[in-house]
Structure formats: C-alpha cells, structure tokens
Amino acid sequence: MESKKFDVIIIGGSYAGLSAGMALGRSLRNVLIIDNEKPCNRQTPHSHNFITHDGKTPKEISDAAREQVKAYHTVEFYNGTVVKITREVDGFKVETSYNGVFRAKKLILASGVNDLMPDISGFAECWGISVIHCPYCHGYEVKDEVTGILADGEMAFEFSKLVFNLTKKLTLFTNGKTKLTPEQVAKLNRNGIIINEDEVQSIEHENGYIQNIIFKNGKMAPLKALYAKIPFEQNLNVSADLGVELTEQGFIKADFMQKTNVPGVFACGDNVTMMRSVANAVAQGNFAGAVANKELSEEEF
C-alpha cells in the first residue's frame, strides 16, 4: 500500500470522508481513507435529522456506510492518525503514526474537529448525551423539558431564540457576570427566560444524563438538558503543514466547491462549518468527492 500512489487520500473516515470515498469509488478512483476511529459524536446515543436514518446510533450509520464503501474495490482503508502532511511536486505525502507514509495526487480533509471541554466536572461525561450542541440534532428529544444554555453575550442571545422555540422552561447560565446588553436582558426577561450569573462548578449526572448543575457558591439547579457552545481546534495542523487558510472562527476556509486555497486540497464536514450534522457532512463529502474526480478527469484528458 505504501509504495502505491493514490488518486486521492481522504483523511477522516466518518460521514463526510466515507461519502467522499463512495463518490470516488464509483468513479473508479484509487482512494485511501485514513481514520483513527475516534469520531467526535462517539458518546451520542442517537443521531437525528438525517432522513432514512433518524434515531439510529452514530455507529450504526457509520458502520453501514463503511461496509457500503468497501464494496468499491478501488477504495482502501488504513487505521491510523495523520501526524504530518507535505506538499510535493506532483501531489502530497501523508505521514501517520507508526511510520505509515502514503502519497496521492489530491487530498480531501474530512478530519473533523476536537472539542475543547471546559474545566467543569462532569461536562465531558455528559457531552453529546445531555449536554448538547445543536437544537436541530437533539432538540426534539428534550422539547418542553427544563433546559439550560451555557453561554453569554451575543451568541447566547441569538441561540436563546432557537431553543425558546422548543421549550419555555429555559435558563441562560452565563457562568459569571453577563455581557448581555440591557436591551437583550429586557427581551429575555419578557419571554420568561431566566438569566443565572452564578459560576458553574460541576454537573451532577447519572451515566451522562444531567441531574443538577452545581455552582461555586453552593447553590444548585435541577436540569434535564444543557445546550453549550464550546471552543474547538482542528484535528490536523493543516495551516502549518500545507498553508491551508482558516476562518476567524477556526474552520478550514472552503469555497462552494469544497476547495481550499491550496490547489488539490478539498475539505468537508465538521472542519469547515458550524452546521455539524450527519446529513450536512454526507452532502459535503459527496460533493467534495465529485469535484476531486472532475479535477482528475480534466488533468488526465
């Protein structure tokens, strides 16, 4: 495998990467999908808002996708973590842990992101289960429940509008003195949204399901679900390795064709967008694979 030069190497074998692999496999392209089997949603009990797969576990969907992609015999898989990417005259060199070295004409970055957990005991254990990031992915399942949002400022205000549509039993936990404007506070109050400025110490839970939020002042608040917007980092150091541009928010900058600023490098999935959903990742991966194939076809014709 290491002596073979692939048409495309896909870094990341979750929904976006597998979708790109299928598009390329169906185009008879020699493809290598490199994946370390650590998807960001591995704790999530069920996946939603993906038509025909609603309610399945994330692993059920990805396992089925992987088996379907394996049917295309020009697609190969490698279990490993990418540690370095280098541009070469005629393509790219990808190095993995345990000294795997592979080369390809094109790259598709479907590597996802790494969520950075806050220093709140219990938060990581609840992440993806009852501490959730997306009302479209998980909101229906906790509709009308006692719910919180852990955020502050403009983003918290805008996010409150979405969550308020799903439950009126809503508290905004700003985790300290709020940065909301007086006008925003007044509007939240008019809609019955409580603003709690106590600093959060921990989350009391049972197997990832929230029971209470515990504050540093000793108070507590019972809760069923908590929305949280937390920082992230790219899983790959593509900016330093390849010169791939990032947005101000830290996403890989890709155009409507899923192309980055580096010729021959595409990106799709969670690493390019705040709309982190299975359906979106599948769509972007499918398109990235098709565009990569088109580039190869034009170059070879």
Side-chain angles (χ1 to χ4, degrees):
M1 188 187 293
E2 293 189 24
S3 62
K4 175 180 178 180
K5 184 164 185 177
F6 294 89
D7 292 320
V8 183
I9 289 177
I10 300 171
I11 302 175
S14 193
Y15 314 108
L18 290 169
S19 183
M22 177 174 282
L24 288 161
R26 290 180 58 81
S27 298
L28 305 180
R29 294 298 176 186
N30 291 309
V31 178
L32 178 64
I33 299 176
I34 302 175
D35 185 59
N36 61 10
E37 299 183 0
K38 294 179 181 177
C40 67
N41 65 353
R42 55 189 176 272
Q43 286 192 173
T44 304
H46 300 97
S47 178
H48 293 282
N49 212 24
F50 181 22
I51 200 81
T52 74
H53 294 285
D54 191 56
K56 291 184 178 179
T57 68
K59 193 172 186 304
E60 279 181 295
I61 299 171
S62 60
D63 283 353
R66 189 180 179 98
E67 287 303 309
Q68 290 173 3
V69 173
K70 281 182 177 179
Y72 299 96
H73 300 299
T74 59
V75 182
E76 300 180 50
F77 290 83
Y78 180 83
N79 189 342
T81 299
V82 172
V83 294
K84 188 177 181 181
I85 309 170
T86 308
R87 293 178 69 177
E88 297 185 325
V89 175
D90 57 349
F92 304 90
K93 180 173 74 172
V94 177
E95 300 175 52
T96 69
S97 51
Y98 305 109
N99 302 315
V101 180
F102 308 97
R103 286 177 167 83
K105 299 172 187 175
K106 308 286 182 184
L107 281 183
I108 295 180
L109 308 174
S111 43
V113 295
N114 177 39
D115 294 306
L116 302 175
M117 303 295 160
D119 186 21
I120 297 173
S121 176
F123 187 100
E125 291 82 354
C126 295
W127 182 241
I129 301 172
S130 59
V131 176
I132 52 183
H133 77 286
C134 174
Y136 296 104
C137 299
H138 308 292
Y140 184 86
E141 282 63 46
V142 292
K143 66 184 184 301
D144 299 323
E145 295 286 3
V146 179
T147 301
I149 298 174
L150 182 62
D152 195 16
E154 186 67 26
M155 187 269 290
F157 180 71
E158 293 300 322
F159 200 42
S160 295
K161 299 175 186 178
L162 285 176
V163 180
F164 185 69
N165 178 59
L166 294 164
T167 179
K168 303 302 182 276
K169 305 168 188 175
L170 184 58
T171 299
L172 182 57
F173 298 101
T174 61
N175 199 23
K177 184 69 175 173
T178 185
K179 299 180 181 67
L180 293 163
T181 67
E183 293 77 16
Q184 289 172 332
V185 169
K187 191 158 191 177
L188 291 167
N189 288 338
R190 282 200 301 273
N191 282 289
I193 298 173
I194 300 166
I195 301 171
N196 186 319
E197 297 179 289
D198 294 337
E199 293 186 31
V200 179
Q201 177 174 294
S202 62
I203 295 175
E204 190 177 76
H205 67 96
E206 291 183 7
N207 299 317
Y209 290 92
I210 298 175
Q211 307 299 307
N212 297 287
I213 288 186
I214 311 298
F215 301 100
K216 292 181 180 179
N217 59 14
K219 296 179 183 178
M220 67 166 53
L223 211 61
K224 287 291 185 181
L226 180 68
Y227 291 89
K229 294 289 188 180
I230 61 175
F232 66 89
E233 62 185 4
Q234 291 289 331
N235 278 320
L236 296 176
N237 194 10
V238 292
S239 182
D241 282 1
L242 292 172
V244 169
E245 291 182 12
L246 303 180
T247 68
E248 290 182 4
Q249 295 79 24
F251 296 105
I252 293 174
K253 188 181 290 187
D255 66 13
F256 72 101
M257 302 287 280
Q258 305 302 142
K259 295 182 180 183
T260 71
N261 63 298
V262 178
V265 179
F266 305 82
C268 52
D270 290 354
N271 57 10
V272 301
T273 178
M274 65 178 65
M275 185 60 178
R276 294 171 60 176
S277 73
V278 175
N280 194 49
V282 169
Q284 288 188 350
N286 178 265
F287 195 53
V291 176
N293 176 65
K294 184 175 185 296
E295 276 196 3
L296 288 164
S297 299
E298 290 176 345
E299 292 165 4
E300 294 166 357
F301 190 73

